[in-house]
Amino acid sequence: MNTTPPTKDASAPRKTPAVRGNHLARRLDEGWTSGNQLRLLENGEEFFPAVFAAIESARHEVLIETFILFEDKVGLALHDVLLRAAQRGVRVDVTVDGFGSPTLSAQFVNTLTEAGARLHVFDPPPKLSRRLKLFRRLHRKIVVVDGEVGFIGGINYSADHLADFGAEAKQDYSVEARGPIVEQLRLEAQRTIAQAAKEQWPDKPLQALAPRPCDSAGHAQARLVTRDNQKHRDDIERHYRMALQSAQREVIIANAYFFPGYRLLKSLQRAAQRGVRVHLILQGQPDVAAATWAARMVYGRLIDAGVQIHEYCDRPMHGKVALVDDEWSTIGSSNLDPLSLSLNLEANLVIRDQHFNAQLRDKLMPLLHNSCVHVSKEHTVAQRWWWRLGVGALVFHIVRHFPRWMAQLPAHRPSVVPAAETAVITSAPADADARAWSWRRLAPTRLASRGAAQ
């Protein structure tokens, strides 16, 4: 009796890890556009005037997605430029998150809708409690005007993105884009509201402008990378990991909420262990104290591998940006924490361009050298009391498995509904002092920044 085990046919196709990895790399390498012009915008002083000026000149269409729209001086200034755009016949669609933008006055909403603008609320919470539905939020920040200019980054429409807010003013970034990448931003913003618009406004079809190739505007390569709960659950994290795996000399990551999963942590460690200078700029003056406490649970592992950690202490760090070597960079809405990497709808622009990479590096290095405290191994040991050892191990275990656990939860289909039909509407009057504020007060800053860019 022949007991020799049968041999496998060497010619038979096999789905090896390498093959799967190559297939994934090819998929993630698709979608790049060339011929883009990109301008880095720092904080509200540069971002708000650029966005408001683009809306003022809009001829056909304004699309906005944002997590937060507050009815403060910034929100009211946005309201004013949107109202004027709608009154002159521009199609205006604004989508806010039902958790991040919990209250808007009836006056704020009604004046826009009466002028023809459409204000949508993504997955509004139940009327009985605005604190519910914390997870799976619309965290993206996208603006597209006439399909010609787009903005993407981490800046919301609230006064705490301006320096005159005080010590709690946020440090953050966005990018102004022109060229073929704008059409990707436009289609993504339209996709969010397409079904809702079809059902609720059948007399006003969304597709006013047919998709069209945009003219070349510069030399940068870029692609839009999104995170959702269907087909793109971990695309942003994978782009980070691929960039870290290819890093040769330098990595700089500035991120507000840093609590990544196990695979991203390992990619950071491995990059540092093979000699890459890996710098993390994280929160030292947090707006959410628990976020910094959680981040510090993984400091020791990273420092042991050679990662340099710097805590930014001038004000709360709200940026979500990174660069690798001399060409690769990313900017967008995604933090490196479980909410952004596993639950929320996020959008990042991934860029291949030496000029933009240099712009971003020139912004981050002064922060690193002048406004940060370097975290040493001795500092982490001194802060690690006996009870933190057990807590740290538990937290790291949760971080390692959190994305897989979250993937098992039912991903309900979120609703996008008119603002007038949701609990975000209150009878609270707008603040008179805030309403008197105008975006034109930032005009000198806007002109100075444009002159410096030229």
Side-chain angles (χ1 to χ4, degrees):
M1 181 176 182
N2 185 6
T3 59
T4 304
T7 59
K8 293 183 179 180
D9 183 359
S11 63
R14 293 185 300 171
K15 210 170 189 179
T16 65
V19 170
R20 289 196 298 269
N22 290 337
H23 172 74
L24 176 63
R26 286 194 298 271
R27 181 173 68 84
L28 294 179
D29 205 45
E30 296 173 352
W32 287 92
T33 66
S34 300
N36 300 291
Q37 181 186 63
L38 306 174
R39 181 165 71 103
L40 181 65
L41 303 173
E42 184 177 25
N43 297 322
E45 283 79 6
E46 295 181 0
F47 175 73
F48 296 136
V51 171
F52 297 165
I55 296 172
E56 287 276 32
S57 64
R59 305 181 307 278
H60 307 291
E61 179 185 61
V62 174
L63 297 171
I64 296 179
E65 284 187 358
T66 185
F67 180 60
I68 290 175
L69 170 56
F70 287 161
E71 203 164 346
D72 57 17
K73 64 182 183 181
V74 171
L76 291 171
L78 175 65
H79 177 279
D80 289 346
V81 295
L82 290 174
L83 181 61
R84 288 194 291 272
Q87 288 171 339
R88 64 178 182 266
V90 175
R91 178 178 280 99
V92 175
D93 278 284
V94 180
T95 307
V96 303
D97 184 76
F99 185 87
S101 305
T103 57
L104 294 171
S105 70
Q107 178 188 4
F108 185 99
V109 174
N110 292 340
T111 51
L112 283 174
T113 56
E114 288 169 2
R118 303 188 292 194
L119 183 59
H120 319 267
V121 179
F122 179 89
D123 216 14
K127 293 185 178 181
L128 295 178
S129 175
R130 292 177 180 145
R131 296 181 181 274
L132 298 178
K133 292 192 177 182
L134 172 63
F135 299 136
R136 305 190 191 279
R137 305 313 316 175
L138 176 72
H139 195 242
R140 311 190 309 196
K141 293 91 176 173
I142 296 175
V143 180
V144 183
V145 177
D146 288 343
E148 296 175 356
V149 58
F151 301 85
I152 183 171
I155 301 178
N156 293 293
Y157 297 93
S158 56
D160 58 0
H161 285 280
L162 293 168
D164 64 9
F165 190 79
E168 297 303 309
K170 293 177 169 62
Q171 177 70 26
D172 211 339
Y173 305 90
S174 184
V175 61
E176 177 186 285
R178 297 178 186 272
I181 189 61
V182 176
E183 186 63 14
Q184 289 189 18
L185 296 175
R186 177 176 177 266
L187 293 177
E188 189 62 35
Q190 285 190 333
R191 191 173 292 116
T192 304
I193 58 173
Q195 188 60 37
K198 180 179 178 181
E199 294 174 354
Q200 295 152 11
W201 295 282
D203 57 327
K204 296 182 180 180
L206 188 64
Q207 293 284 352
L209 299 177
R212 59 179 178 81
C214 296
D215 295 335
S216 177
H219 304 286
Q221 288 187 311
R223 66 159 296 173
L224 179 65
V225 182
T226 60
R227 203 236 140 248
D228 59 33
N229 295 299
Q230 283 80 42
K231 296 181 179 180
H232 305 284
R233 291 176 178 264
D234 60 355
D235 284 12
I236 292 176
E237 180 184 352
R238 287 183 184 275
H239 273 272
Y240 264 97
R241 288 167 49 210
M242 288 173 62
L244 289 167
Q245 291 165 11
S246 66
Q248 300 296 316
R249 296 177 301 280
E250 179 182 60
V251 172
I252 303 177
I253 297 174
N255 207 271
Y257 304 108
F258 182 82
F259 202 36
Y262 177 77
R263 293 179 297 178
L264 187 51
L265 282 173
K266 291 301 293 182
S267 295
L268 287 164
Q269 290 173 290
R270 288 167 179 161
Q273 287 168 343
R274 65 175 186 267
V276 177
R277 299 186 303 276
V278 180
H279 296 279
L280 302 181
I281 302 175
L282 308 178
Q283 289 205 47
Q285 298 290 334
D287 54 352
V288 180
T292 297
W293 184 86
R296 288 171 178 167
M297 291 292 98
V298 299
Y299 278 11
R301 295 173 181 269
L302 292 170
I303 292 173
D304 286 343
V307 175
Q308 302 293 311
I309 299 177
H310 314 266
E311 290 189 340
Y312 175 72
C313 296
D314 279 2
R315 54 189 191 174
M317 167 60 70
H318 197 255
K320 306 98 169 54
V321 300
L323 64 86
V324 173
D325 295 336
D326 299 324
E327 187 178 63
W328 188 95
S329 55
T330 187
I331 183 168
S333 67
S334 181
N335 295 300
L336 299 180
D337 71 345
L339 288 179
S340 283
L341 295 178
S342 303
L343 292 171
N344 292 338
L345 273 66
E346 305 283 0
N348 272 36
L349 202 64
V350 180
I351 300 160
R352 293 172 179 160
D353 182 62
Q354 292 186 0
H355 179 66
F356 187 86
N357 182 291
Q359 286 185 60
L360 182 56
R361 192 178 192 278
D362 288 345
K363 293 290 187 181
L364 295 179
M365 292 307 291
L367 267 61
L368 190 151
H369 290 304
N370 304 324
S371 303
C372 290
V373 173
H374 181 258
V375 180
S376 65
K377 179 67 174 179
E378 290 73 21
H379 178 76
T380 63
V381 172
Q383 296 295 321
R384 192 178 298 166
W385 300 323
W386 65 270
W387 59 271
R388 285 194 178 183
L389 294 174
V391 173
L394 176 62
V395 168
F396 189 77
H397 178 76
I398 292 174
V399 171
R400 177 175 182 174
H401 296 287
F402 187 86
R404 181 168 56 85
W405 293 340
M406 290 299 100
Q408 306 305 314
L409 295 179
H412 74 287
R413 185 178 183 86
S415 59
V416 181
V417 301
E421 299 178 8
T422 73
V424 301
I425 304 303
T426 71
S427 58
D431 181 74
D433 292 335
R435 186 166 286 282
W437 188 87
S438 169
W439 74 270
R440 290 182 176 83
R441 291 175 57 186
L442 292 177
T445 303
R446 172 166 53 91
L447 294 174
S449 66
R450 285 188 174 179
Q454 293 173 355

